[in-house]
Amino acid sequence: MLALRLLNVVAPAYFLCISLVTFALQLFLFLPSMREDPSAAPLFSPALLHGALFLFLSANALGNYVLVIQNSPDDLGACHGSSASRAPCSPPSTHFCRVCARVTLRHDHHCFFTGNCIGSRNMRNFVLFCLYTSLACLYSMVAGVAYISAVLSISFAHPLAFLTLLPTSISQFFSGAVLGSEMFVILMLYLWFAIGLACAGFCCHQLLLILRGQTRHQMRKGVAVRARPWRKNLQEVFGKRWLLGLLVPMFNVGSESSKQWDK
């Protein structure tokens, strides 16, 4: 349990450090390198378009990250002041989290990167957090590839060029042909690629469970769920005004999942 509580502190700090490093690289390396194109129109310059797109992706990722923490699931175990695992008012879909020491409605899992449980109140923000984190990381990787390609005069036209970039760069770094800052960007490329793919896979898995009206906890326990139309399952999590929440990080809009018990 001590290891889990320590991970609950280290993982959010790791995420915030990666976010700060990404912002610094975008601001001090990638954007200045795009301003060097004199033929670009000021209104539609690559630096301006890149900065606006990255700001949109990162603002949604960090905004939903904060909302996942702020919109924390209620502790249903405190409704009768009894043991959380035996709270008589808790519906069958609840689960007691040992890390948070609370009973969560429609408990899905405990996310160590947010240091919080994912349940009915913050599921929507968590899915959008995974989506925009994946997009921001993959987009940063593309911008980083363009920067390395221009600085080191490397062509990524061959499909295996990205896979062989790291071992080749390591040997060149120790021989002095690659600077420390350039080597750091190359390492970040692979980190962005890994985080982007992991978040994308996790987002798709969560969406599949939402379409089925099931949580990860129910799937692990083999709990049967009632059959309902997939549109109703989506609306229960994302609400009726889902498009507004997709563009702007905000609390659940029109969602009914946090207002009702499972029947």
Side-chain angles (χ1 to χ4, degrees):
M1 180 56 63
L2 180 61
L4 293 179
R5 294 189 182 277
L6 181 61
L7 181 61
N8 209 42
V9 176
V10 174
Y14 172 78
F15 171 78
L16 293 177
C17 288
I18 295 298
S19 301
L20 290 176
V21 170
T22 302
F23 269 104
L25 291 178
Q26 293 279 358
L27 184 63
F28 297 109
L29 284 184
F30 300 162
L31 284 178
S33 66
M34 294 179 183
R35 294 200 198 102
E36 298 175 357
D37 186 6
S39 62
L43 185 60
F44 299 102
S45 63
L48 181 61
L49 296 178
H50 167 75
L53 181 56
F54 176 75
L55 183 62
F56 170 76
L57 296 177
S58 58
N60 275 277
L62 295 177
N64 282 288
Y65 178 83
V66 173
L67 291 179
V68 168
I69 300 175
Q70 288 185 346
N71 212 10
S72 178
D74 293 325
D75 185 6
L76 302 179
C79 55
H80 284 285
S82 58
S83 174
S85 59
R86 297 194 301 266
C89 64
S90 301
S93 62
T94 58
H95 174 69
F96 176 71
C97 176
R98 294 182 301 167
V99 181
C100 292
R102 69 175 67 184
V103 178
T104 306
L105 177 62
R106 287 192 63 82
H107 177 88
D108 189 85
H109 68 285
H110 182 89
C111 177
F112 288 99
F113 286 100
T114 61
N116 204 6
C117 278
I118 307 301
S120 59
R121 294 188 62 192
N122 55 6
M123 173 59 72
R124 172 187 166 277
N125 296 120
F126 176 75
V127 173
L128 293 179
F129 160 68
C130 292
L131 173 64
Y132 281 107
T133 299
S134 173
L135 294 177
C137 287
L138 295 178
Y139 183 71
S140 297
M141 185 198 73
V142 172
V145 166
Y147 172 80
I148 290 298
S149 177
V151 172
L152 300 181
S153 300
I154 299 176
S155 175
F156 289 91
H158 196 277
L160 298 179
F162 182 76
L163 298 179
T164 59
L165 175 63
L166 183 60
T168 304
S169 300
I170 291 177
S171 62
Q172 293 178 349
F173 171 73
F174 286 107
S175 64
V178 175
L179 300 178
S181 60
E182 298 167 350
M183 189 66 213
F184 181 75
V185 172
I186 292 174
L187 293 175
M188 289 298 299
L189 294 181
Y190 289 90
L191 184 59
W192 286 327
F193 182 68
I195 296 177
L197 287 187
C199 289
F202 202 84
C203 181
C204 293
H205 177 65
Q206 289 294 141
L207 286 176
L208 179 61
L209 291 177
I210 291 173
L211 290 173
R212 295 165 55 183
Q214 192 177 31
T215 64
R216 289 187 64 195
H217 174 69
Q218 291 173 333
M219 182 188 67
R220 290 196 304 266
K221 296 296 182 180
V223 178
V225 295
R226 52 181 177 171
R228 295 193 310 175
W230 62 269
R231 292 179 183 272
K232 189 172 182 179
N233 292 329
L234 277 180
Q235 182 175 324
E236 186 180 70
V237 175
F238 291 96
K240 298 179 181 179
R241 300 184 297 274
W242 59 271
L243 183 59
L244 179 61
L246 184 64
L247 299 177
V248 180
M250 56 191 304
F251 286 108
N252 290 341
V253 283
S255 175
E256 300 176 355
S257 60
S258 59
K259 302 177 183 178
Q260 60 185 9
W261 303 97
D262 276 357
K263 299 180 180 178

